[in-house]
Amino acid sequence: MKKYTIAALAFVVGSTMVPRAMQRPQQDLSRVDHLVYATPDLERGIKTLEGLLGVRVTPGGQHPGLGTRNALIALGPATYVEIIGPDPDQPKPEKPRRFGIDDLIAPRLLTWVAKGNDLDAIVARSRRVGISLGDVISGSRKRPDGVVLSWRYTDPSVVLADRLIPYVIDWGTSQHPAATAAPGVKLVALRAEH
């Protein structure tokens, strides 16, 4: 098993033979939708993670109008790592790219994303306790095979506790990206510190 610590987030990937000290109940990871690995150069980010994990990525697709593209590696049947960086086939957007990509010097594990299915209720509950997750917005991207994925999510531009508090995503009727992402590793632990 290999453990990777990148920035303030740590994740462990490996086989099913996990030392007892590292074992966690399944429900601890069931809310993790994906990890966001941001990079100033998509090819550089892909090569870095492929080298670390020994898995060839699956191209994800473009985020039209946002100036980004991604690639994916499955971390389980409904969890993945998203490598996201500038899309050389799109013009530079008028606004800065999400996740501070334009200001990054090197690839880094930036945040994690939680699963949710009633985002309006999640946002309302959070606001009642003084946490603003931002508004619920829609997103989409077209995979290289032409399939369009669409989702709703809390605004990923809202930064809480240096991104250790995640944004929340609901894939609705779209196929979860992990289903078509490159397999080969499994998320067995995730720890965030602030």
Side-chain angles (χ1 to χ4, degrees):
M1 175 181 9
K2 295 179 181 178
K3 178 179 178 178
Y4 302 98
T5 303
I6 305 170
L9 287 167
F11 68 105
V12 180
V13 295
S15 68
T16 55
M17 297 181 65
V18 180
R20 185 170 296 281
M22 292 296 300
Q23 290 179 4
R24 304 268 195 256
Q26 183 63 30
Q27 64 270 20
D28 285 353
L29 295 176
S30 67
R31 301 293 299 184
V32 178
D33 187 82
H34 67 280
L35 307 178
V36 177
Y37 187 75
T39 177
D41 178 283
L42 188 58
E43 285 306 312
R44 180 177 169 199
I46 287 170
K47 287 178 184 174
T48 301
L49 267 194
E50 284 180 341
L52 284 171
L53 301 176
V55 174
R56 192 159 186 88
V57 305
T58 298
Q62 293 180 310
H63 302 103
L66 299 177
T68 56
R69 176 186 298 259
N70 67 6
L72 316 173
I73 297 174
L75 297 175
T79 307
Y80 65 99
V81 61
E82 172 187 32
I83 306 162
I84 184 168
D87 182 356
D89 295 333
Q90 290 187 62
K92 186 172 181 177
E94 291 180 21
K95 296 179 181 179
R97 291 179 180 93
R98 287 194 175 144
F99 307 118
I101 286 172
D102 295 322
D103 298 324
L104 288 177
I105 296 168
R108 66 180 284 227
L109 185 61
L110 190 70
T111 192
W112 67 287
V113 183
K115 294 176 181 147
N117 56 14
D118 189 352
L119 301 185
D120 295 314
I122 291 169
V123 166
R125 279 193 309 270
S126 296
R127 284 182 179 150
R128 281 195 297 272
V129 297
I131 300 171
S132 177
L133 297 174
D135 295 325
V136 176
I137 56 178
S138 297
S140 68
R141 73 171 165 83
K142 185 184 243 183
R143 293 190 326 211
D145 63 5
V147 173
V148 175
L149 301 179
S150 58
W151 59 87
R152 295 180 71 228
Y153 56 157
T154 59
D155 190 346
S157 65
V158 173
V159 177
L160 299 169
D162 295 324
R163 296 195 185 274
L164 297 184
I165 295 176
Y167 64 94
V168 185
I169 194 165
D170 179 2
W171 290 97
T173 59
S174 286
Q175 181 182 38
H176 194 278
T180 56
V185 292
K186 179 179 179 185
L187 181 67
V188 295
L190 176 66
R191 188 177 85 197
E193 295 180 2
H194 187 270

